[in-house]
Amino acid sequence: MQHFPIFLSVKDQTIVLVGGGEAALAKLRLLTKTEARIVVYATEPHADLVRLDAEGKIKLVNREFDYGDARGARRVYAATEDELIDARIVAIAHDDGVLANVVDNLALSDFITPAIVDRDPVTVAIGTEGAAPVLARAIKADLEERLPSNLGMLARLGKAFRHAADALPMGRKRRDFWADYYFNEGPHVAARGEDAVNDTLGALLDKHIMSGEEAGRVDLVGAGPGDPELLTLKARKALDKADVVIYDRLVAPEILELARREAIMINAGKEGFGASTAQDDINAMIVEHALDGHHVVRLKAGDPTVFGRLDEEIEAIEAAGIAYAIVPGITAASAAVAQIGQSLTKRERNASVRLLTGHDMKGFCDHDWRTLARDGEVAAIYMGKRAARFVQGRLLMHGASPETPVTIIENASRADSRVIATTLGELEPTMTTADLKGPAITFYGLAPRHAAKAIQSISRKEASQ
């Protein structure tokens, strides 16, 4: 991020604009919405600039911008549409210690002005660092359509009511009051005018004051395989409300970014055969924060019900008498099999599929290898990187064909995902040679669809020869 977004206080401050044509007028349409003093320098001002000066909305100075003119200004905008003149304006601004922006010239600008959705006092700023202005305008248009026109009134009345809302304690209780106002009651009565909204605010405050302290709760949430777009709506809402997020090592950073900014973020990562947070410690953290009255989100990669030690955490939560809910996520097997264009089950091939783990706390896991070794069986093996040679040996020992297709998917659904097609007979050394760094899932009995087609094509060619 080259440009850090901020909202700058400009009330009663001077903003200088240099230019007298259409570019200057376009910039003024935004600047005149502020409470700043706008000073415009133009040698040949457009008639609309003269009119704005007469109306007292700007101060028009009919001469060239020169050294000393930026002194005391908050910002300088150059809009002459002449690169040499604009560069001189920037130099003058810098000489007075003022940051400058050149319209449509990112290289000369110290800052950029984003696309803005105005629901005063609610303002949404959209920036693309000059990379995609068309995209910024499209996002702006979408938000303009989504945000109701009376949102500004709700925010303005809410701001005036903030001192009264201080009767509620800081934290979740006060947050719940404002959420109730902005998303439930307020929008329903806004059409009836400001008096109706003010009456609603008073009634809501009384209701929340009388409701007493709310107990903490826990949401056991599946973060999915890593792609933020595969996160469920329910999981997204839980992250919006969380006071505390206790997350696993494999949860993607992009998903952690979706948590409420004020939430306490706790890394409770586990790593196979490496440093880990003990499960008892995780249980204790969940219970401690929930008993403090917090909304806790226990965020697990994939689906919490699949190899997620969910039962251990539920038992600790229930023993403490804490309310909880399970929010399922897309498990890695579902995301990975979609990525290779296959189905976990197929009519006349396999009527069942096994989800296996390569190891547990005691070491490598034993399974029903004899049944799995039969033709047509399919299994998704989680946490199988270190267990690959063990799995390979057990299956071959029980009669599985060395030619059985095997697919390894690293970082399923993510931008850095890798798909490695091999066979059971070559599972090792393929797994070791691949040098996998991220989480991997291994499909026994499935090949990527494109790879399967390539193999068939090669076979047909060899047969014709």
Side-chain angles (χ1 to χ4, degrees):
M1 184 166 62
Q2 295 180 3
H3 296 84
F4 186 77
I6 61 171
F7 285 88
L8 185 71
S9 174
V10 295
K11 182 178 181 181
D12 297 329
Q13 301 290 318
T14 299
I15 293 178
V16 172
L17 174 67
V18 185
E22 295 291 343
L25 284 169
K27 188 61 65 177
L28 275 176
R29 281 195 287 272
L30 178 62
L31 293 177
T32 52
K33 291 183 178 182
T34 73
E35 297 182 32
R37 293 188 297 268
I38 312 297
V39 180
V40 179
Y41 287 82
T43 55
E44 296 180 9
H46 190 283
D48 285 346
L49 293 177
V50 176
R51 175 180 55 79
L52 289 171
D53 178 56
E55 293 173 354
K57 293 181 179 180
I58 65 170
K59 178 183 177 183
L60 180 60
V61 180
N62 198 342
R63 64 171 174 81
E64 287 187 354
F65 180 69
D66 211 341
Y67 285 90
D69 288 337
R71 196 166 298 138
R74 196 68 163 168
R75 291 289 182 266
V76 170
Y77 285 91
T80 68
E81 301 178 81
D82 183 308
E83 188 169 345
L84 290 177
I85 297 176
D86 285 341
R88 179 176 180 272
I89 293 165
V90 170
I92 293 171
H94 289 175
D95 190 66
D96 285 331
V98 181
L99 298 181
N101 169 272
V102 179
V103 174
D104 293 332
N105 192 325
L106 191 65
L108 281 178
S109 298
D110 299 313
F111 65 95
I112 58 177
T113 302
I116 289 176
V117 178
D118 184 12
R119 294 289 186 271
D120 187 25
V122 177
T123 305
V124 182
I126 306 142
T128 63
E129 300 199 332
V134 172
L135 177 60
R137 285 195 291 272
I139 295 171
K140 170 182 164 67
D142 184 51
L143 289 174
E144 291 276 10
E145 185 177 342
R146 288 169 181 264
L147 298 179
S149 58
N150 57 25
L151 184 62
M153 179 185 74
L154 290 174
R156 179 165 44 79
L157 296 178
K159 179 181 179 181
F161 198 79
R162 291 187 72 86
H163 68 284
D166 288 345
L168 293 167
M170 283 287 290
R172 183 180 173 191
K173 194 168 180 63
R174 193 179 298 182
R175 197 165 63 248
D176 286 348
F177 161 74
W178 287 116
D180 203 3
Y181 166 62
Y182 282 115
F183 305 120
N184 296 324
E185 300 297 329
H188 292 309
V189 300
R192 304 207 309 263
E194 296 191 8
D195 289 343
V197 174
N198 278 320
D199 291 343
T200 296
L201 277 166
L204 268 181
L205 182 60
D206 291 341
K207 171 187 166 184
H208 282 265
I209 289 174
M210 298 298 293
S211 66
E213 291 294 330
E214 288 195 40
R217 59 169 290 113
V218 178
D219 286 334
L220 301 146
V221 177
D227 182 351
E229 292 187 0
L230 293 180
L231 194 69
T232 67
L233 291 174
K234 201 164 189 177
R236 183 70 174 87
K237 289 176 181 177
L239 287 170
D240 281 338
K241 296 177 181 178
D243 299 305
V244 179
V245 178
I246 301 173
Y247 62 93
D248 281 348
R249 177 179 63 91
L250 297 180
V251 175
E254 297 89 343
I255 290 174
L256 295 178
E257 282 292 319
L258 298 176
R260 198 170 61 84
R261 287 296 174 195
E262 295 81 8
I264 299 169
M265 307 295 289
I266 301 174
N267 184 344
K270 290 181 175 294
E271 186 170 357
F273 304 97
S276 298
T277 305
Q279 186 62 50
D280 286 345
D281 292 339
I282 295 174
N283 297 346
M285 281 192 288
I286 294 170
V287 169
E288 177 187 356
H289 286 287
L291 289 177
D292 284 343
H294 293 139
H295 182 167
V296 179
V297 166
R298 172 68 172 114
L299 193 62
K300 296 169 174 284
D303 185 287
T305 67
V306 180
F307 305 125
R309 300 189 183 179
L310 182 67
D311 290 294
E312 298 172 53
E313 294 177 2
I314 288 176
E315 288 167 5
I317 292 166
E318 287 182 332
I322 298 166
Y324 70 92
I326 300 170
V327 180
I330 293 178
T331 189
S334 296
V337 79
Q339 188 171 332
I340 65 171
Q342 287 283 15
S343 172
L344 287 172
T345 59
K346 182 180 180 181
R347 188 166 49 181
E348 298 181 1
R349 183 192 68 194
N350 65 308
S352 65
V353 63
R354 289 171 173 79
L355 304 184
L356 311 177
T357 178
H359 64 81
D360 60 16
M361 293 299 290
K362 298 178 182 178
F364 298 141
C365 287
D366 254 323
H367 300 285
D368 183 2
W369 304 113
R370 184 178 302 279
T371 300
L372 193 57
R374 297 181 309 198
D375 287 345
E377 295 295 323
V378 172
I381 305 170
Y382 292 69
M383 298 170 283
K385 287 191 290 187
R386 294 176 183 268
R389 191 175 295 281
F390 173 80
V391 171
Q392 179 187 39
R394 287 294 190 273
L395 285 167
L396 292 173
M397 183 188 306
H398 286 83
S401 169
E403 300 305 314
T404 304
V406 173
T407 305
I408 305 157
I409 300 96
E410 180 187 24
N411 295 324
S413 84
R414 305 188 190 197
D416 58 350
S417 180
R418 280 198 296 165
V419 176
I420 302 165
T422 185
T423 62
L424 179 61
E426 294 296 323
L427 178 56
E428 277 293 356
T430 300
M431 185 74 82
T432 298
T433 304
D435 190 28
L436 303 174
K437 303 298 184 185
I441 189 163
T442 303
F443 285 125
Y444 168 77
L446 289 180
R449 191 168 292 277
H450 64 84
K453 288 180 179 178
I455 291 169
Q456 290 170 7
S457 176
I458 292 169
S459 297
R460 285 194 296 270
K461 184 178 180 181
E462 290 174 346
S464 65
Q465 293 173 347

